[in-house]
Structure formats: C-alpha cells, structure tokens
Amino acid sequence: MPRPTKGPRLGGSPQHERHMLANLATQLIIHESITTTEARARRLRPYVEKLITKGKRGDLHARRTVMKKVTDKYAVYRLFDEIAPQMAEREGGYTRIIKTAPRRGDNAPMAQISLVLEPVAKKEIVDDAVRTAKRAAEKAVAEVEEAVAEVAETPADDAAEVAAEETEAADATAADEASGKPVYAGSVRLEQGSTEAPDTDHEVKGNEDSMKYHVPGSRWYDNTVAEVWFASAEDAEAAGFAPAGGAAAQKVKK
C-alpha cells in the first residue's frame, strides 16, 4: 500500500485528494488564475508544475501521461499548445501564489495561484543592465570624490574670505528685509536719505517716491535726497527706476 503524503490530507481519502487536485489543475490551466485556500494552493503548485514540465516535452507519451490526471481535453490542449510554448524560455517557477483576505464565514486563509506567463528576460540583457548600473554608480562616486578633493585643495584663507562675504551679504539682506524695504542689485541703501554719495562707486541717486534716478550733472541732482544709491544708470533701470529730466543724456559710465 502506498504511503500517504505527509501533513494533512485534502479531502476524506487519497482518491478524493487526487480528484480535487486534478479539478484544481484543470481550472488553473483553463483560467490561468484561481483563488482557493492557502493549503490547497501550496499542494497544487508542484502538481501543476509537473504537468507543465510534461507539456513542454510535447511528445505523445507525455500527453497520455497528463491525460491520466487531467481528463478535460480542452485543458490538455491549452497546456500543450498554448501554455507550454509560453513557458519554453522559463526553467522553473511556472506558478506564483499571492495571499489574499481570509474567507468570510470560517476565516480560512485564502490565496490566489496563477501561471507566470510573462516573457523571461535573457541573461545577456540582464548582464548588460547590471554592467550599465555599475558604471553609472562608479561615475557618480568618482564625481563626488573629485568634488571633495577640490574643496580640500581650496586655501583656507580663500574659503574664509568667501564665507565672510556671504555672511556680510546675508546680514545686509536680513537688515533690508527687517526694515521692509526692497533690495536692488548693485545698490547701497543708507539708513536715512542723503544728498551726499556714500562712496565714489555709487553716485546715481534713486528716489523711491517717484521711482526716478538722477545722475551727476542732471537738473535736480544736487537738490535730490536719495534713498538708494546705484553704481550706474543701468543698475537703476534694471531695478525699475526711470531717468529724471536730463538724466538720460548724462549717464555715469563705469
């Protein structure tokens, strides 16, 4: 008498179990995916994969062997003529099991077992993708190391000077933002309006009330109180200021 399979048996007898697995295999071959209990799916997996292996052989003896278990002629036809050719490049793992929500009523663990019919990527393509990814990773690491080396080669004095300039610019911007007044590129803002230029590099007067600028020698230059001093008329125009009377003909050239 043959020894029964280890573990719990499906059904009430070995014959019942064989019929149950044959019916499940038939439905899986026809529909390509079925939902059943997790225990049945695990028992069905090797059963179906052996049938698919025989279907890939495709000879008459294999067909007769399969028909001893699967009596449905349409299922046998699909196994040998439709499913087996799609599995030709696959060397195993013909099915997959995905757990689903437990069954309502008895809370039995359920699973979906389906055939893996996706095309298999060739080994050459996979190897080429792996080599490309490695080269990209090595290039990225080299760029990072080069950037770190450039930072390390930068003199400490230059780095300190750059940091001081950035801090000074940030403080000036913060002060202007705190006062609620706009910041213009290439300009100097005094705490209070003045008629005297802060330095020789900023001599163009900007009046925010009229949004006009005055260059040295223009009509109202001497009497204008400037809130903003620009280095050139181009900077003033870039900030949105318009030339006052006579200013366009006497722009300061830097």
Side-chain angles (χ1 to χ4, degrees), residues 150-223:
E150 290 179 357
V151 173
E153 292 175 359
T154 303
D157 296 339
D158 294 346
E161 183 178 355
V162 171
E165 292 177 356
E166 292 179 352
T167 302
E168 182 178 356
D171 293 342
T173 303
D176 290 334
E177 290 178 353
S179 63
K181 297 178 180 180
V183 179
Y184 306 107
S187 66
V188 173
R189 180 185 293 275
L190 301 179
E191 294 183 359
Q192 296 180 353
S194 174
T195 59
E196 299 295 332
D199 52 51
T200 57
D201 294 332
H202 297 81
E203 296 182 347
V204 179
K205 295 181 178 181
N207 188 285
E208 290 183 315
D209 294 335
S210 61
M211 291 302 291
K212 303 285 186 180
Y213 70 87
H214 305 264
V215 298
S218 61
R219 174 186 273 178
W220 299 292
Y221 181 82
D222 295 333
N223 298 327

Side-chain angles (χ1 to χ4, degrees), residues 77-144:
Y77 161 77
R78 273 186 54 81
L79 175 62
F80 280 84
D81 295 351
E82 296 181 4
I83 295 176
Q86 299 182 55
M87 302 285 189
E89 300 295 332
R90 190 174 294 278
E91 298 180 355
Y94 306 125
T95 59
R96 69 163 61 95
I97 297 176
I98 301 175
K99 294 182 180 180
T100 60
R103 184 166 58 192
R104 296 181 61 182
D106 58 356
N107 202 34
M110 303 294 289
Q112 182 185 40
I113 180 170
S114 57
L115 301 178
V116 182
L117 301 177
E118 294 83 0
V120 180
K122 295 184 178 180
K123 189 175 185 300
E124 296 79 6
I125 299 176
V126 176
D127 293 341
D128 181 67
V130 171
R131 287 194 297 268
T132 303
K134 286 184 178 180
R135 287 196 297 268
E138 292 173 356
K139 182 179 179 181
V141 172
E143 291 177 353
V144 171

Side-chain angles (χ1 to χ4, degrees), residues 2-16:
R3 177 178 298 179
T5 306
K6 292 183 179 180
R9 179 181 296 146
L10 301 179
S13 63
Q15 183 179 8
H16 187 193

